[in-house]
Amino acid sequence: TTVFYTIKKDGTLKNVSIFKSSGDKKTDSAAIKAVKKTKFRPLPTGFDKDSIDVQFTFDYNVYGKNGKQ
């Protein structure tokens, strides 16, 4: 799942959305929730824009009892 979101200069989050779906609604929902629960710090004082756009990819791997995929 790839999530797109914007972090405002004060560290608040906006525009959280799925950029590329995993194909599984529960996985996509978990990725959105993870981003929304994150507490972002304010952007550095030298950052001259009002916000920054982020595209983050979550990888989900399932391993069996023996540690193999």
Side-chain angles (χ1 to χ4, degrees):
T1 303
T2 302
V3 180
F4 177 86
Y5 54 95
T6 301
I7 303 171
K8 293 171 50 175
K9 196 164 190 150
D10 66 359
T12 58
L13 188 64
K14 68 176 187 174
N15 301 331
V16 182
S17 63
I18 296 294
F19 182 79
K20 183 178 179 186
S21 174
S22 67
D24 179 77
K25 289 182 182 183
K26 287 183 180 183
T27 300
D28 291 351
S29 178
I32 291 282
K33 286 179 186 177
V35 171
K36 287 184 175 181
K37 286 184 175 186
T38 302
K39 302 290 183 192
F40 294 98
R41 293 181 180 174
L43 299 176
T45 54
F47 190 78
D48 63 349
K49 301 196 187 290
D50 291 333
S51 62
I52 188 168
D53 294 331
V54 178
Q55 183 177 312
F56 187 87
T57 301
F58 289 84
D59 289 321
Y60 180 74
N61 296 305
V62 177
Y63 294 93
K65 289 182 183 179
N66 60 3
K68 295 184 180 180
Q69 287 184 323

